[in-house]
Amino acid sequence: MSDHTIGRNMLGMLKVFNFVLYGALAIYSTFFALYLKDIGFTPVQIGLLVAGGPLIGLVANPFWAYCADRFRNNKRILIICLIGNFICMQFVFMTESYPLIYSLMLFYFMFQSPLFTQSNSLILNVIEGTNRKFGEFRAWGSLGWALIAVIAGPIIGWLGINKLWIVFDAMLLFTIFFTFLMPRGNEREQKEKFTNKGYFTVFQNKNFLIFVCLGVLISIPNSMNTTFLSIYIRGLGGTNTVVGWAAFATAILEVPVFLLLDRYLKKNSRTMLGWLTVISLLFSARWLLMSVASSAIQVIFIQLLHAITFGGYYYVGTQLTSHLVPGEYRSSGQAVYGLTWGGISGIIAGILGGWMFENLGAPVLYRICFGITICGFIGFYLLQNSYRINERYASAQSEKTM
């Protein structure tokens, strides 16, 4: 199918949508922990609050994915979730009561958790059958994350962190506006129709579930870093502007990484698992470097590894999920994959990470992250090796029958 079938304007709008969506999420992810610290929350309280998101996500992500696959409309799900996000955060910014903020954030997470996976499914569904690649569009999300975070840093520094709601609301309203301009994302007929019985086959794919479980080991340290990075930078003497630059370094190099993977990644399971093995080892090196960082500037440079580690894992994992899960259950498959970054791993990262950050200190936390990621690396190596052995066995069997 050609680009003209979809419309070049629509493809361009899809890029803009990803830019503003990830820009809004960058403001929340980068500065909200600082806002909570400013109103008196401790790292343990912040960790417990953040852990509530993955806990809700365990239910919310599959629920919204089921709705998207059932009703074949990613756009509608995104609109509902973004409006829910906006309403919940207005009440959050009106109070400084921990119990009330915690309760409100549970509602927020109900709508926030599916945004990444639903936007990915929207991209994959829109470009299916065309010559366009996923990374071409997801790169605009990374660009939005990087540029909006670095621009927001000085603005928030000027307004004061207590005025975070102004910047966050503005970006979220832009995102809602552009979402209304999107295609619904599920227009094409699938080879097989959605059925409840078929839906549960997503959870019976052994290799997919092993991949998901190993992803939890990789994502626990990443979630800890995401939650406490801004506080760590402030503890090393960094300003809000430096925090913004750290977020910029986190995302800006994802753009060439996505485009290179679009061009050179071979989309077969063994090759993609090989890439995940290498990326897991690089994650380990990243946390080891963070454990010995002595200045905020050093942290910014270490964050450049995020593009290769998280960016590479995110892209390859999304493609591997699409490869292992049938197209008619794509949103559900992406939701299960998304739980590796926002499910059980996020709960552990929030609760355990907050306690370790406050009682053991950041260097020890990052050394523990190094050990957890090494375990994930070993798991991916063994899984990739089992694929190689199975392929050799299948090749030998086919030669015998010839």
Side-chain angles (χ1 to χ4, degrees):
M1 185 176 291
S2 69
D3 296 348
H4 296 288
T5 307
I6 302 174
R8 291 187 179 275
N9 289 339
M10 187 58 68
L11 292 173
M13 196 63 67
L14 188 58
K15 295 176 181 178
V16 176
F17 164 74
N18 275 276
F19 183 93
V20 294
L21 172 65
Y22 279 79
L25 294 171
I27 292 171
Y28 165 80
S29 179
T30 305
F31 298 102
F32 189 60
L34 289 178
Y35 170 80
L36 294 175
K37 192 172 187 298
D38 185 70
I39 62 176
F41 287 16
T42 66
V44 169
Q45 288 177 316
I46 294 171
L48 287 171
L49 189 148
V50 171
L55 183 64
I56 296 299
L58 289 173
V59 177
N61 225 340
F63 168 75
W64 290 115
Y66 175 87
C67 292
D69 283 334
R70 181 79 180 179
F71 301 108
R72 301 186 53 74
N73 199 318
N74 297 115
K75 170 184 172 178
R76 183 180 299 169
I77 302 303
L78 284 166
I79 290 172
I80 293 171
C81 290
L82 286 167
I83 292 175
N85 274 340
F86 183 82
I87 293 172
C88 290
M89 288 304 290
Q90 304 319 298
F91 291 104
V92 168
F93 287 126
M94 289 179 186
T95 180
E96 295 184 4
S97 165
Y98 182 78
L100 189 54
I101 287 179
Y102 194 93
S103 301
L104 289 166
M105 288 302 293
L106 293 181
F107 284 102
Y108 169 81
F109 291 132
M110 180 71 185
F111 298 105
Q112 188 264 355
S113 58
L115 292 179
F116 287 115
T117 54
Q118 286 300 310
S119 62
N120 286 346
S121 296
L122 179 67
I123 295 171
L124 291 166
N125 285 329
V126 169
I127 66 174
E128 186 176 10
T130 74
N131 59 357
R132 311 307 285 264
K133 301 291 182 67
F134 172 77
E136 174 187 350
F137 296 89
R138 178 55 182 80
W140 280 84
S142 298
L143 196 61
W145 187 290
L147 294 180
I148 298 301
V150 79
I151 292 169
I155 295 174
I156 293 169
W158 174 65
L159 290 172
I161 194 68
N162 60 315
K163 296 293 194 302
L164 176 64
W165 65 271
I166 296 175
V167 184
F168 178 79
D169 283 3
M171 281 304 304
L172 204 55
L173 286 172
F174 269 117
T175 306
I176 293 170
F177 170 76
F178 281 106
T179 307
F180 276 100
L181 304 179
M182 290 295 97
R184 74 183 194 186
N186 306 72
E187 284 86 351
R188 292 185 180 86
E189 290 295 326
Q190 296 291 343
K191 293 178 181 178
E192 295 183 23
K193 290 187 176 181
F194 181 98
T195 64
N196 290 333
K197 183 179 178 180
Y199 171 78
F200 286 103
T201 61
V202 174
F203 304 94
Q204 296 169 1
N205 185 323
K206 183 183 72 172
N207 289 326
F208 178 58
L209 292 180
I210 293 173
F211 156 62
V212 167
C213 291
L214 290 174
V216 171
L217 292 176
I218 303 302
S219 65
I220 288 173
N222 189 74
S223 296
M224 289 181 179
N225 180 67
T226 300
T227 302
F228 299 105
L229 178 65
S230 58
I231 300 174
Y232 184 37
I233 290 173
R234 289 288 289 272
L236 292 173
T239 63
N240 286 333
T241 300
V242 174
V243 171
W245 277 107
F248 177 87
T250 294
I252 190 61
L253 291 182
E254 284 183 354
V255 176
V257 168
F258 286 143
L259 296 179
L260 286 170
L261 287 171
D262 264 347
R263 184 166 185 176
Y264 296 110
L265 178 67
K266 293 181 180 179
K267 294 181 176 62
N268 63 73
S269 296
R270 186 165 71 88
T271 299
M272 288 190 278
L273 285 169
W275 275 104
L276 293 178
T277 304
V278 173
I279 290 167
S280 300
L281 189 60
L282 292 174
F283 256 125
S284 301
R286 180 182 169 190
W287 306 138
L288 196 60
L289 289 171
M290 286 289 283
S291 73
V292 298
S294 58
S295 71
I297 299 300
Q298 287 180 359
V299 171
I300 290 177
F301 283 107
I302 295 169
Q303 280 297 104
L304 292 172
L305 285 171
H306 180 91
I308 303 171
T309 52
F310 177 77
Y313 192 99
Y314 183 93
Y315 181 99
V316 176
T318 300
Q319 296 293 340
L320 181 59
T321 300
S322 186
H323 183 73
L324 294 174
V325 176
E328 60 270 21
Y329 308 106
R330 178 171 288 145
S331 291
S332 300
Q334 293 297 333
V336 175
Y337 168 59
L339 290 179
T340 65
W341 296 100
I344 297 172
S345 59
I347 298 170
I348 296 171
I351 297 173
L352 188 59
W355 182 86
M356 288 193 295
F357 190 93
E358 186 167 309
N359 294 282
L360 303 179
V364 174
L365 181 147
Y366 280 111
R367 284 198 288 272
I368 293 171
C369 288
F370 166 76
I372 294 172
T373 312
I374 283 292
C375 294
F377 159 73
I378 294 170
F380 273 118
Y381 174 79
L382 294 174
L383 182 59
Q384 194 258 354
N385 196 50
S386 72
Y387 262 82
R388 183 166 54 246
I389 292 171
N390 289 337
E391 285 181 3
R392 287 177 179 173
Y393 176 78
S395 177
Q397 289 297 108
S398 66
E399 287 178 4
K400 288 181 181 179
T401 58
M402 288 179 66

